[in-house]
Structures are given as structure tokens and as C-alpha cells.
Amino acid sequence: HLRDSGLDVKTGIAYTGVLGVLKGGKPGPVVAVRADMDALPVTEDTDLPFRSTVRTVYNDIDVGVMHACGHDIHTSVQLGVVSVLSSIKKQLPGTVMFIFQPAEEGPPPGEKGGADLMLEEGLFDELKPEAVFGLHSHSGLESGELGFTVGPAMAAVDHFYITVKGKQSHGAYPHKSVDPIVMASEVVTAFQTIRSRTLSPLEPSVVTVGIIRGGERFNIIPAEVYMEGTVRTYNTAVQDQVEQRMREILGGITSAYVGSYELKYNRGTPATINDPELAEKMLPTLRRVIGDDKVKMMDPVMGGEDFAYFANEVPGFYYRLGVVKPGTVSGWVHTPTFRADDSCLETGIRAMSNLLVDFLESGGM
Ligand SMILES: [Zn+2]
Ligand SMILES: [Zn+2]
């Protein structure tokens, strides 16, 4: 579709990423727009005629594959925008970079991928945009509605891996053990005080242990307990403080019980900050195209988005596309009952096409 529409196309960026460049007939700035195009190991539970029936093996488990984050909508919208803008190519004052990005949800374990790998492979080297736009499906908004946040919009995403180490023993002889289950339980509880007692109540933060795994049998105290979780923050100083408190808590509790620990703390996607100047510049366009009352201001959330890597390179504006058909219900993103109604495509295409044209016509940043 990109080639048929007269774009210069580059494929194979960050494995399966694609860049399509549309050069307008008139001189002007360069702007970028990004759609993500991956799916999730979720088994779709909707009655849609086009629901996914695909299955695969993920982490050794047989799972369904579902567009449970609406990335198929983002890709469809962007292909629609390609059609619209290529049809007015001659009048277009500038250049549009259409980025189709894989692995937004994260690359397979041990691999690199996503927005940062596309940049590492030189996405912005030949042609650097003055601004980047993106949108995301939102199951809290109806088709025909858009949401936006000025400034901080989505949190930094960290991933931690912990092994609490003790000494194995018979469950009836606990005095012969160093019990990692008792230590891990105290660690999980104490982690809750990082948010409630270390950080300011006004500072957005999340510390979540999502996996806790230990033991094979009811009458054996195991040697180790394994935990994994996520930390979400908006501020690097707070991020440092959370990691430091986690080490102090792990060290204090395990040494009190004569055990030990290992912590691997990986900093992932940075916070997504919508450039305030760019947001203010573009909001009138959204209001004009979609309708004043349909464009809703939204609070920042603790979810993450690797669009942040692009928005760290150049001013970025990332907004929400309502996907719920009025009168129907949808599950939240990442759940089996998430349903994005096709009626949102038109709103998405109109909003994004107009943003890009208005940005180019304004002469850029
Ligand atoms: Zn997602
Ligand atoms: Zn998503």
C-alpha cells in the first residue's frame, strides 16, 4: 500500500519495522507519525466476526493471539492516513515519515526490539522530523471521541527480578532452614512502604510484585523464592530512590534472617512526556476536526509506552482514540473482551491526517 501510494519505503528496520516517506510537492518541514503493529498472548473472547482464532506457543505455554491493545487499529488508521495524504501529495508543504513499529509490547526475552532499536538502527539519521505524533486506542472513550494529556502522560517502566535465598529443610524441621518464603513475604509487604512511607504522597509511583514463585511440596521449605515485578515512575530521582529502597529492604530483611538475595533491576521505557508547546499548538486542530466536546482532557496514567523513545528525540504528541461503539461495552486493553469498533477508524484517520497537514502548513516547530 505504501509503495502503491508513491512513498519511498524501507523495510526490515528492527526486524520487521517499516518506514514510508511521503515527500510533498511543496517545500516544508519533516514530521513523523508512528503506529505500532504487535499483538498479545491473550485469547480473544468476543463475538466479532473477525475475532482472532490464532494460537501460538509463548513462554512454553499454548496461548491465543489477540490484538488486545488495539495496535491493529493504529496500523489501519495509519494506512488510511497514507491514502489521504498521498492523494494530496502535490499540495503537501513538507515531508511525512510514516513509522510502522514492531514490538511495542516488548521484544522476546533476551532480544532487543521496538522503538529504541529502530532509532539505534538509524531511523532518524537520514531524515530527522521536527515532531512526532502517535495515537492509542482507549476503551474508556467512545468511537468519535479523543483524549489528550499535556506534559507527563505515561510512566517510565522498570522491570525487576529477585531471588531470595535461604536454606532448604523438611517442613516439620523449620529450625534447620533459612526460610525464603517467610523472607519473601516480608519483602513484598515492606515494598508497599516505599510508595506509602518513602515517597511523597503526591509523587506518582507504583511498586508491583507480579510473580512470586517458590517451593515444590507442602512439607518442604524451599531453598529459594523467585519474584518479578514492575516499578512505574515519572521522575528519575524517584526511580533512583525506589531502586535504592528495594536494595535496602532486601538487604535488611534477608540479613536479619541470615539469608541473602539477588536483585536485577532493569530500567525500561522512559516516561512519555507530551511536549506542552506542540500539544497546545495542535489541540485546536483536534477540536475543529472532531468537535470541541469530543476532545477530552485526561489524567496521566502509570501505563508505559515506548513512543517515549521517539518523543525523547523530538517533540512528541501522543493522544487517545476512543474505540467503543456507543451502546456497547468493551473490556480494558490487554483483556480477552477488549473490542475496538471499526467506527473509530474514521475519527482516527481524520484526526491524524489533519494534525499532520496543519503541522506542515504551520511551518513546523
Ligand atoms: Zn499494550
Ligand atoms: Zn498498546
Side-chain angles (χ1 to χ4, degrees):
H1 180 61
L2 303 186
R3 288 194 181 110
D4 289 348
S5 305
L7 276 68
D8 292 331
V9 178
K10 203 171 157 186
T11 59
I13 313 168
Y15 300 104
T16 54
V18 175
L19 172 67
V21 177
L22 179 67
K23 282 200 181 78
K26 296 179 184 171
V30 180
V31 67
V33 56
R34 173 274 216 164
D36 38 4
M37 44 180 196
D38 49 342
L40 285 161
V42 175
T43 304
E44 183 154 357
D45 181 21
T46 68
D47 55 6
L48 295 168
F50 52 84
R51 71 184 168 276
S52 169
T53 54
V54 176
R55 299 197 71 80
T56 192
V57 174
Y58 182 77
N59 286 346
D60 299 329
I61 301 167
D62 178 66
V63 290
V65 181
M66 179 185 176
H67 282 294
C69 207
H71 296 186
D72 54 338
I73 295 287
H74 312 166
T75 301
S76 306
V77 165
Q78 193 148 301
L79 290 170
V81 176
V82 167
S83 300
V84 172
L85 296 194
S86 60
S87 75
I88 53 165
K89 181 176 170 168
K90 278 192 186 129
Q91 298 102 285
L92 213 57
T95 299
V96 184
M97 301 170 71
F98 291 92
I99 302 165
F100 294 86
Q101 181 215 305
E104 192 286 320
E105 301 285 0
E111 281 182 31
K112 285 179 132 190
D116 50 338
L117 186 60
M118 287 191 93
L119 289 167
E120 225 179 274
E121 293 186 6
L123 182 71
F124 287 171
D125 286 359
E126 274 173 45
L127 205 56
K128 189 157 186 175
E130 287 187 27
V132 60
F133 294 102
L135 57 68
H136 201 289
S137 303
H138 199 287
S139 46
L141 294 171
E142 290 186 343
S143 274
E145 292 179 328
L146 297 176
F148 72 94
T149 311
V150 177
M154 299 193 84
V157 180
D158 298 344
H159 189 161
F160 61 80
Y161 309 78
I162 296 168
T163 307
V164 175
K165 298 177 169 183
K167 184 171 163 244
Q168 186 157 335
S169 118
H170 192 298
Y173 301 79
H175 53 295
K176 303 261 185 210
S177 79
V178 173
D179 190 340
I181 290 190
V182 170
M183 289 189 283
S185 307
E186 292 204 16
V187 165
V188 173
T189 309
F191 275 0
Q192 310 311 308
T193 66
I194 299 175
R195 161 127 189 78
S196 69
R197 289 298 175 271
T198 299
L199 302 174
S200 159
L202 299 178
E203 186 62 51
S205 60
V206 170
V207 180
T208 289
V209 176
I211 298 175
I212 176 162
R213 212 175 270 147
E216 277 82 37
R217 202 166 196 280
F218 79 103
N219 60 357
I220 300 172
I221 292 170
E224 291 183 351
V225 167
Y226 177 73
M227 299 193 276
E228 250 181 74
T230 188
V231 172
R232 305 295 171 103
T233 52
Y234 269 101
N235 174 327
T236 23
V238 173
Q239 205 174 15
D240 293 343
Q241 213 180 350
V242 172
E243 183 181 346
Q244 187 199 332
R245 279 305 289 150
M246 285 179 63
R247 290 191 189 281
E248 287 164 357
I249 287 168
L250 279 163
I253 289 174
T254 54
S255 78
Y257 290 96
V258 215
S260 61
Y261 76 96
E262 261 169 35
L263 167 65
K264 193 170 101 185
Y265 190 98
N266 286 357
R267 294 190 183 210
T269 308
T272 301
I273 314 291
N274 280 325
D275 185 80
E277 198 191 323
L278 180 63
E280 293 305 336
K281 179 184 166 87
M282 301 322 300
L283 279 171
T285 300
L286 293 183
R287 295 196 173 107
R288 185 193 77 230
V289 175
I290 306 304
D292 234 340
D293 55 324
K294 301 278 187 191
V295 181
K296 319 264 182 195
M297 189 156 87
M298 302 183 87
D299 288 331
V301 295
M302 302 311 284
E305 177 42 84
D306 80 353
F307 179 82
Y309 288 108
F310 298 131
N312 274 357
E313 294 288 315
V314 298
F317 181 48
Y318 180 84
Y319 58 98
R320 309 299 192 145
L321 175 67
V323 297
V324 183
K325 188 179 183 176
T328 69
V329 285
S330 164
W332 205 247
V333 285
H334 290 209
T335 74
T337 53
F338 172 73
R339 47 193 300 160
D341 192 75
D342 305 24
S343 55
C344 70
L345 293 174
E346 189 195 325
T347 309
I349 294 168
R350 288 178 60 220
M352 197 59 99
S353 300
N354 279 279
L355 273 189
L356 294 166
V357 170
D358 284 5
F359 182 85
L360 293 181
E361 284 186 341
S362 76
M365 287 302 286

